[in-house]
Amino acid sequence: MTDLLYVDGGNPLRGEITVRGAKNFVSKAMVAALLGDGPSELRNVPVIRDVQVVTELLELHGVRVGFDAEAGTIRLDPRDVQTPMVAGVGTLAGASRIPILFCGPLLHRLGEAFIPDLGGCQIGDRPINYHLDILRQFGASVDKHPGGILLSAPRRLTGTKLSLPYPSVGATEQLLLTAVCAEGITELSNAAIEPEILDLINVLQKMGAIISVDTDRVIRIEGVERLSGYTHTALPDRIEAASWASAALATGGDVYVSGARQADMTTFLNTFRKVGGEFAIDDAGIRFYHPGGDLHSIQLETDVHPGFMTDWQQPLVVALTQARGLSIVHETVYENRFGFVDALLGMGATIQLYRECLGGHPCRFGQRNFYHSAVISGPTPLSAADIEVPDLRGGFSHLIAALTAKGQSSVRGISLIDRGYERFTEKLEALGAQFSRETSG
Ligand code: EPU
């Protein structure tokens, strides 16, 4: 499928948009519903492709799913969970990374699980070794199968004590979704503590789980025999909110992001202010705007929470092309998250990539062949170009670049953006962007 957006850029984005629940929480909370012995209800759910993929996979396992897209309410009834045909599950191969989180809940409910090959953005190697090590430590057996992995647990999984080599978000979620119903106590050190994970813990606690989170990245879980359904309102999408904030800054605009929440965005807000952006916070959202004058160059390093999120990096880099001086950005979470820069160079940006860890602490990717540091020299006017979307966040960044550049750009492969940005073309319209969308089969 070709899908193209023709963007007439060079105009500030101005107006108001709303963000709903976080993509990287909602999909996991939907998986958690599998663990309940009754129905669950999740609110503030956005209409994005990832929700659809998880819905399809849950339905293949016998979960009844009802989604009121307008209200953003999803009902999940797992009382008739069943083992699906492997072929059916295989049709979802490559669609998302979420299926790997079905392992623990399915092992508890059915004693077995078939997980299709994963998809997701190509921003690094993205291995699943931590996930599989965790599952084996709980007592599951894991076998490679054509098109996916096959897991089984002949008896109830047993709690364990382990430490992650790196505070992986997905591996921490894997552990939580497995430990809550395992026999005995589980202790995880070096856990990820992103707000989306803490909200997943809120959900699991509502279901009957016993989980404590210490200040030193240690999570302890006392396994219970049964969990019930839950009712929960998802925390807002702080990645989407920051993406629109960066779009406001890059285009010299003024965007009120209804639903954005300060507590989840403290580190982003500090950086936004250092670059020269201004914001005003109220109970319902955050207004992000360019106050006029020069933006400032900065030094930035991405990190796990409470650091600067890797997913905030790409949109902000586009704004940094408009800042005066040399900015240094060190990406420490993914080894290959600067692929989107090529298109920016073609539009007139001055960005140099380095293999070294620049301007921060040495990371896992230093002394290896990964171009994971960037030096951005600005301000450089961007010119319109024909661009191909590489991945979700990189794609949104290209969109920001096209909105910033004078003249008409074409952005190809735009449906990738639908995976994580709800109704983004409607939001662009609300902000006064000039564009047209062409879709052909
Ligand atoms: N890692 C391993 N082995 C594993 C798991 C992870 O080496 O078994 C490494 C990864 O290769 C990476 C690092 O650990 O270098 C961190 O990966 P993590 O597991 O934290 O990432 P994830 O769970 O796969 C989620 C989000 C990403 C977000 C990261 C970091 C979802 C569905 N995805 O990925 O979001 O960037 O956490 O916050 O929750 C996005 O939304 O566009 C996106 C990529």
Side-chain angles (χ1 to χ4, degrees):
M1 175 148 131
T2 323
D3 332 31
L4 260 178
L5 208 62
Y6 294 105
V7 178
D8 289 298
N11 308 306
L13 293 185
R14 288 184 199 284
E16 175 175 339
I17 49 117
T18 299
V19 296
R20 293 207 277 186
K23 159 177 121 26
N24 291 346
F25 163 78
V26 164
S27 44
K28 288 82 181 264
M30 289 172 71
V31 179
L34 265 175
L35 289 162
D37 59 11
S40 291
E41 183 173 301
L42 186 60
R43 299 175 182 156
N44 205 23
V45 176
V47 181
I48 51 173
R49 170 87 186 121
D50 266 18
V51 167
Q52 198 184 325
V53 171
V54 181
T55 297
E56 285 170 33
L57 197 52
L58 286 169
E59 285 176 339
L60 281 167
H61 287 88
V63 179
R64 279 193 296 277
V65 185
F67 186 23
D68 178 341
E70 221 33 63
T73 302
I74 203 158
R75 284 189 188 76
L76 306 130
D77 186 345
R79 282 175 292 192
D80 297 325
V81 165
Q82 61 187 28
T83 302
M85 304 286 285
V86 166
V89 174
T91 59
L92 292 173
S96 160
R97 295 193 69 71
I98 308 302
I100 191 68
L101 296 176
F102 277 64
C103 296
L106 288 180
L107 288 172
H108 286 304
R109 292 295 307 262
L110 301 167
E112 59 182 357
F114 173 68
I115 307 299
D117 288 334
L118 303 182
C121 297
Q122 296 308 312
I123 48 183
D125 200 23
R126 307 193 81 179
I128 52 167
N129 53 328
Y130 303 166
H131 294 255
L132 301 185
D133 288 350
I134 286 171
L135 291 158
R136 288 193 181 102
Q137 235 177 289
F138 275 97
S141 71
V142 183
D143 292 303
K144 185 76 194 107
H145 190 276
I149 50 171
L150 205 49
L151 300 104
S152 61
R155 66 188 75 82
R156 189 173 172 204
L157 298 173
T158 314
T160 181
K161 184 170 176 169
L162 39 82
S163 177
L164 284 174
Y166 183 80
S168 150
V169 169
T172 302
E173 292 161 343
Q174 181 75 262
L175 179 124
L176 285 166
L177 291 165
T178 307
V180 282
C181 286
E183 191 175 350
I185 293 177
T186 296
E187 184 183 286
L188 177 67
S189 312
N190 207 23
I193 47 162
E194 269 61 9
E196 292 77 15
I197 291 180
L198 300 183
D199 212 22
L200 181 63
I201 292 175
N202 291 337
V203 162
L204 293 168
Q205 188 177 52
K206 283 179 175 174
M207 297 175 80
I210 302 172
I211 305 173
S212 65
V213 184
D214 290 352
T215 47
D216 55 355
R217 292 193 179 279
V218 174
I219 297 182
R220 279 188 197 79
I221 301 121
E222 283 179 43
V224 296
E225 284 199 11
R226 56 166 289 275
L227 294 173
S228 59
Y230 67 84
T231 300
H232 190 75
T233 301
L235 86 168
D237 198 313
R238 64 196 173 117
I239 305 177
E240 189 187 352
S243 300
W244 290 111
S246 293
L249 198 57
T251 61
D254 188 334
V255 175
Y256 181 79
V257 183
S258 173
R261 201 165 71 177
Q262 178 184 20
D264 311 322
M265 299 186 70
T266 314
T267 309
F268 179 83
L269 292 170
N270 286 336
T271 304
F272 193 81
R273 180 168 276 160
K274 283 194 224 167
V275 177
E278 288 191 11
F279 54 86
I281 300 167
D282 62 38
D283 288 347
I286 306 179
R287 173 187 166 210
F288 296 94
Y289 60 101
H290 190 312
D294 278 349
L295 296 181
H296 317 304
S297 56
I298 52 157
Q299 181 189 319
L300 178 68
E301 186 164 72
T302 64
D303 206 348
V304 295
H305 189 75
F308 189 93
M309 284 188 96
T310 171
D311 307 281
W312 291 332
Q313 179 259 104
Q314 292 152 305
L316 191 73
V317 162
V318 181
L320 290 177
T321 66
Q322 305 307 304
R324 185 161 299 283
L326 289 182
S327 293
I328 300 175
V329 178
H330 180 205
E331 168 62 55
T332 77
V333 180
Y334 290 113
E335 65 271 33
N336 189 19
R337 213 164 195 181
F338 282 122
F340 73 107
V341 158
D342 270 354
L344 300 185
L345 296 178
M347 298 174 83
T350 307
I351 303 176
Q352 183 85 38
L353 298 183
Y354 294 87
R355 293 191 183 95
E356 290 76 16
C357 301
L358 293 188
H361 305 92
C363 76
R364 296 171 294 152
F365 310 132
Q367 308 303 323
R368 295 167 68 193
N369 281 325
F370 301 123
Y371 286 92
H372 71 294
S373 294
V375 176
I376 303 129
S377 173
T380 46
L382 298 181
S383 49
D386 298 328
I387 315 166
E388 173 98 37
V389 166
D391 59 66
L392 176 62
R393 309 297 168 194
F396 196 86
S397 307
H398 287 173
L399 201 57
I400 300 177
L403 291 161
T404 307
K406 284 212 161 58
Q408 187 175 79
S409 295
S410 72
V411 189
R412 189 178 293 276
I414 215 79
S415 58
L416 258 181
I417 297 177
D418 287 322
R419 242 195 69 217
Y421 292 87
E422 181 180 40
R423 296 179 175 142
F424 74 92
T425 47
E426 284 173 34
K427 292 180 187 176
L428 284 175
E429 252 166 327
L431 298 176
Q434 305 290 310
F435 68 96
S436 58
R437 185 169 185 160
E438 181 188 287
T439 308
S440 61

